[in-house]
């Protein structure tokens, strides 16, 4: 594949695209990849593993091929920013469980920012989220059935938490008696449905 020095690639809503370029996994300089809309599934070798930022929006084929083949994201040892949006209408837990492995889909420990958007039946964040000790920013948008955080809470490394369009979990995060409020007190910036709460005790850290 040409463009070996390519660092950023965005593929948007290419309805007539029949196949992704061969050798995509060989783009060792590629750091940012954004895929939006339905596209063909991945070839066996998959995506380049040196990515720093990955955005998958509305592509059920690529998302499911990663789950079914048990690839997960743990192979992306340099990945810092991950956005997953509208890729699975049936998913109830994130990361989802890989049946043949019997465990949740692995996420890379290198993640610093995670965006989870537009999953209509998502109900819970799985316990593996807690293990992301480099995660500083978590965004939860348009997941109307989301109502459970992991039993162990959220990563202690979090600096920002955004919750929009998730009314059930938002209710549990209320400052005045919400079930999950105590899990949020270590997070300096919390935004829930346009209302900012700021813990000034950490402002000078």
């Amino acid at each position: 594949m040409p463009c070996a020095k390519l660092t950023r690639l965005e593929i948007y809503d290419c309805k007539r695209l029949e196949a992704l370029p061969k050798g995509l996994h060989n783009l060792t300089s590629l750091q940012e990849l954004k895929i939006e809309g339905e596209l063909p599934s991945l070839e066996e070798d998959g995506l380049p593993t040196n990515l720093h930022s990955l955005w998958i929006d509305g592509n059920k084929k690529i998302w499911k091929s990663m789950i079914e083949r048990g690839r997960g994201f743990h192979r992306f040892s340099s990945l810092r920013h991950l956005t997953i949006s509208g890729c699975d209408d049936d998913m109830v837990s994130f990361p989802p469980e890989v049946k043949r492995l019997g465990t949740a889909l692995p996420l890379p420990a290198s993640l610093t920012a995670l965006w989870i958007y537009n999953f209509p039946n998502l109900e819970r964040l799985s316990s593996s989220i807690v293990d992301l000790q480099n995660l500083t920013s978590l965004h939860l948008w348009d997941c109307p059935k989301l109502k459970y955080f992991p039993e162990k809470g959220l990563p202690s490394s979090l600096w920002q938490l955004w919750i929009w369009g998730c009314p059930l979990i938002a209710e549990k995060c209320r400052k005045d008696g919400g079930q999950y409020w105590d899990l949020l007190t270590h997070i300096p910036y919390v935004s829930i449905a346009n209302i900012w709460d700021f813990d000034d005790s950490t402002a000078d850290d």
Side-chain angles (χ1 to χ4, degrees):
M1 182 179 178
C3 305
K5 295 183 179 181
L6 191 69
T7 61
R8 181 175 180 177
L9 176 62
E10 297 185 5
I11 305 174
Y12 287 92
D13 199 21
C14 301
K15 296 180 180 179
R16 296 185 180 182
L17 185 66
E18 296 181 358
L20 291 174
K22 292 184 178 180
L24 193 63
H25 64 286
N26 289 324
L27 293 178
T28 56
S29 296
L30 193 64
Q31 295 185 359
E32 298 180 39
L33 176 61
K34 186 171 184 177
I35 299 173
E36 185 172 330
E38 287 294 350
L39 295 171
S41 58
L42 294 172
E43 57 182 347
E44 187 62 32
D45 292 321
L47 300 174
T49 58
N50 48 281
L51 293 173
H52 290 180
S53 177
L54 175 61
W55 178 307
I56 302 177
D57 184 356
N59 194 297
K60 297 178 181 180
K61 290 182 179 179
I62 289 181
W63 172 246
K64 289 186 176 181
S65 72
M66 296 188 74
I67 297 174
E68 291 169 359
R69 296 175 185 176
R71 287 187 177 130
F73 296 95
H74 64 289
R75 300 176 306 116
F76 298 86
S77 58
S78 299
L79 194 65
R80 298 173 186 169
H81 301 264
L82 175 62
T83 299
I84 303 295
S85 174
C87 296
D88 191 341
D89 290 344
D90 299 322
M91 185 174 69
V92 297
S93 179
F94 185 91
E97 182 175 311
V98 181
K99 291 183 179 180
R100 71 181 188 87
L101 297 178
T103 59
L105 189 73
L107 296 175
S110 57
L111 276 185
T112 60
L114 176 61
W115 284 263
I116 303 171
Y117 289 175
N118 191 24
F119 286 96
N121 288 299
L122 181 68
E123 296 182 0
R124 68 181 65 89
L125 299 183
S126 71
S127 58
S128 61
I129 292 285
V130 185
D131 298 327
L132 300 176
Q133 289 303 311
N134 290 308
L135 193 69
T136 59
S137 183
L138 176 61
H139 297 242
L140 306 170
W141 284 40
D142 293 332
C143 301
K145 293 185 179 181
L146 179 65
K147 53 185 174 181
Y148 299 117
F149 282 149
E151 290 184 5
K152 295 181 179 179
L154 297 172
S156 59
S157 54
L158 274 184
W159 271 80
Q160 293 184 350
L161 174 64
W162 298 69
I163 301 176
W164 287 48
C166 309
L168 300 181
I169 200 75
E171 182 66 23
K172 290 185 174 184
C173 293
R174 291 177 62 91
K175 192 173 184 177
D176 54 344
Q179 176 183 346
Y180 286 143
W181 175 252
D182 288 345
L183 300 180
L184 311 183
T185 55
H186 71 284
I187 306 173
Y189 297 93
V190 178
S191 176
I192 301 177
N194 293 324
I195 300 174
W196 275 90
D197 291 295
F198 175 59
D199 179 4
D200 59 5
S201 65
T202 58
D204 296 328
D205 289 353

